[in-house]
Amino acid sequence: MAESVFDPEGPLNCPICLNLLQDPVTTSCGHSFCMDCINKLWDREANRGVYSCPTCRMRFNKRPALSRTKVLADILEGMKQEAPAGPGDVTCDVCTGRKLKAIRSCLVCMASYCQTHLRPHYESEAFKKHKLVEASPNLQQQICPQHHKALEVYCHDDRKCVCVVCMVNEHSGHRMVSAADAMAQIQEELKIKQRDFLQLINDRDGVVQQSEEKLDLFKRSAQAAVEHSDNIFSEIICSIQKRQAEVRENIRAQENKEVRDAENHIQTLEKEICELQEENGKLEQLLETEDHIYFFQNYSFSSGSVQYNSSRDVNNLTFERAEQCLSELKNHLDEVCEEHMGRILNKVADVRIFKETERFQSIHQSEMEAGMEVQIWDIDDDFIYG
């Protein structure tokens, strides 16, 4: 059973368990009990064949029928839903001890009530004309500070709420209407503005969806462009490396050929030098001899016997001209790359997701006139990876 928070003899407590009624039922004599409590009591009395009311001791010859009390059950159910007031909640001004959360405030009583203590305002004729509002922590703000009356009238001229005394005094002759009617009229105007806001929200939802689709396409296009550029530059690098290997191979082949020919030529020259030195030695002997017989015997042997090969001229000793051609190729490639890179970067800069259009500039202007500082951007329908 629930813990009792009332007088055990109070109307909301079971006379048997003395706790708050649980599943309340009423006997034919008009007394209320927990269904389980009264049934268990009468089960024990069943052996005697006589049933009695625990409250008034009325006896019944047969077990009485029990009727569920809906009003009482609803009150108790509401009490179950009541919670202690938390930080920031308006507290009930009647509760003692544990303060419950207030659900309504009365502008006549200038007090706030929980669901239990609010019941007299609904059940008693004395409170029928009291003004109930949503629980407010600042009731004084709803009361005229000068006349201590509820601010129930709205003055159109001064655009403020006033009390009935202010209406006939300071605001005499002004356009007046009840605060409730003025609020209803303004709320209708706000509903129209709210529809405009909802329409703007829907428009922006559509723009957001399109933006997300375009953004996804943009990202995929950027990734494809990066991969394509990587492939192209890889192919260019491979092509350059291939031609680099070709030039290197040709230089080495030409080097080997010319070195081989030069070494053969040097060997031939060195052989000729040896032969010439040998013949020169013989000539020195002939020139130094005084024996004319020896001179003439050896003269015929040496004269005109040596054959001289003409020397080969040395030409294009270095690869300087080839290096110059390579430097020219490099400069030319730099110029071509610079030209194409400029075009490529311009094309990259042209790829955009959004652009401000005249249509949305017009909407933006209308919103500014309506006091809504909202900037809108349109999707660039021409977006495409180029």
Side-chain angles (χ1 to χ4, degrees):
M1 294 297 176
E3 180 183 357
S4 176
V5 295
F6 294 91
D7 180 358
E9 297 182 358
L12 297 179
N13 289 66
C14 174
I16 299 175
C17 68
L18 303 182
N19 292 318
L20 284 176
L21 290 165
Q22 296 290 318
D23 198 7
V25 292
T26 303
T27 62
S28 57
C29 60
H31 296 108
S32 300
F33 307 91
C34 298
M35 180 177 286
D36 286 344
C37 292
I38 191 64
N39 280 331
K40 288 179 180 178
L41 176 65
W42 283 351
D43 287 343
R44 290 194 298 270
E45 294 181 346
N47 295 331
R48 295 185 298 167
V50 178
Y51 303 93
S52 63
C53 172
T55 300
C56 65
R57 301 302 178 182
M58 179 180 288
R59 292 178 174 271
F60 307 98
N61 293 328
K62 64 177 182 177
R63 188 164 181 159
L66 298 171
S67 59
R68 191 170 185 273
T69 309
K70 186 178 185 306
V71 174
L72 195 56
D74 290 344
I75 293 174
L76 291 167
E77 184 64 27
M79 292 177 62
K80 291 179 184 179
Q81 297 175 359
E82 291 181 342
D89 290 336
V90 179
T91 59
C92 176
D93 293 319
V94 181
C95 287
T96 58
R98 185 183 67 160
K99 289 285 188 178
L100 298 181
K101 178 181 178 180
I103 60 172
R104 304 288 281 178
S105 296
C106 177
L107 297 182
V108 176
C109 301
M110 290 299 294
S112 299
Y113 302 99
C114 64
Q115 184 164 335
T116 299
H117 293 121
L118 184 64
R119 287 204 310 271
H121 278 76
Y122 293 120
E123 298 172 357
S124 174
E125 289 294 329
F127 298 102
K128 289 294 185 180
K129 294 184 179 180
H130 284 204
K131 179 69 174 179
L132 294 176
V133 297
E134 194 160 337
S136 171
N138 301 309
L139 285 176
Q140 293 296 333
Q141 294 182 0
Q142 303 190 37
I143 300 296
C144 176
Q146 182 178 0
H147 305 108
H148 306 290
K149 300 289 185 180
L151 300 174
E152 298 178 315
V153 184
Y154 180 76
C155 175
H156 280 287
D157 293 350
D158 295 323
R159 301 181 69 177
K160 60 184 294 187
C161 289
V162 298
C163 70
V164 292
V165 179
C166 294
M167 179 181 66
V168 297
N169 293 333
E170 295 89 342
H171 297 267
S172 177
H174 291 188
R175 292 178 301 149
M176 295 293 198
V177 66
S178 72
D181 291 343
M183 184 177 70
Q185 179 183 355
I186 296 174
Q187 284 179 336
E188 289 299 321
E189 296 173 358
L190 292 177
K191 287 179 182 179
I192 297 175
K193 182 168 286 189
Q194 183 184 41
R195 286 196 296 268
D196 294 339
F197 274 112
L198 292 175
Q199 182 61 47
L200 290 172
I201 291 172
N202 291 333
D203 292 342
R204 279 151 184 75
D205 285 340
V207 173
V208 168
Q209 183 177 357
Q210 294 180 28
S211 299
E212 290 175 346
E213 294 173 356
K214 294 295 184 180
L215 181 59
D216 181 64
L217 176 60
F218 180 81
K219 290 180 177 179
R220 287 188 281 111
S221 177
Q223 182 61 30
V226 169
E227 293 175 358
H228 181 71
S229 67
D230 289 344
N231 292 334
I232 292 297
F233 278 104
S234 295
E235 292 177 3
I236 293 174
I237 292 171
C238 288
S239 177
I240 294 296
Q241 289 176 339
K242 179 180 178 181
R243 284 158 177 76
Q244 179 188 18
E246 183 179 352
V247 171
R248 183 190 297 113
E249 182 180 351
N250 276 271
I251 292 174
R252 292 305 181 190
Q254 184 66 14
E255 176 190 16
N256 293 335
K257 174 181 175 298
E258 291 301 318
V259 168
R260 186 171 55 252
D261 290 348
E263 288 176 347
N264 291 335
H265 182 59
I266 290 171
Q267 290 176 0
T268 300
L269 291 176
E270 289 176 345
K271 182 180 179 180
E272 290 179 354
I273 289 171
C274 291
E275 293 175 351
L276 289 171
Q277 288 175 343
E278 183 180 350
E279 289 300 323
N280 184 60
K282 293 178 179 181
L283 289 177
E284 286 180 352
Q285 291 178 359
L286 290 176
L287 292 174
E288 293 176 357
T289 187
E290 295 179 357
D291 186 346
H292 59 276
I293 298 301
Y294 174 80
F295 177 84
F296 283 108
Q297 285 178 345
N298 291 280
Y299 170 75
S300 60
F301 171 80
S302 60
S303 61
S305 61
V306 179
Q307 299 292 328
Y308 297 97
N309 293 324
S310 59
S311 299
R312 298 172 64 181
D313 295 332
V314 177
N315 188 29
N316 293 337
L317 187 59
T318 66
F319 288 92
E320 183 177 354
R321 295 177 61 183
E323 293 174 357
Q324 291 176 350
C325 288
L326 286 171
S327 297
E328 292 175 0
L329 172 62
K330 185 261 183 187
N331 293 334
H332 182 64
L333 287 176
D334 286 343
E335 292 175 359
V336 172
C337 289
E338 188 68 25
E339 176 185 355
H340 283 271
M341 281 300 294
R343 294 171 56 191
I344 292 170
L345 295 179
N346 286 335
K347 294 295 183 182
V348 170
D350 287 340
V351 183
R352 299 179 181 177
I353 301 178
F354 301 107
K355 68 178 181 181
E356 194 173 8
T357 63
E358 293 182 0
R359 180 169 66 88
F360 277 87
Q361 287 176 349
S362 175
I363 295 178
H364 179 61
Q365 180 63 30
S366 64
E367 291 174 342
M368 291 294 290
E369 293 174 355
M372 295 180 288
E373 296 183 359
V374 182
Q375 188 175 18
I376 304 177
W377 293 84
D378 189 14
I379 296 296
D380 184 356
D381 295 332
D382 297 329
F383 162 73
I384 187 172
Y385 164 62

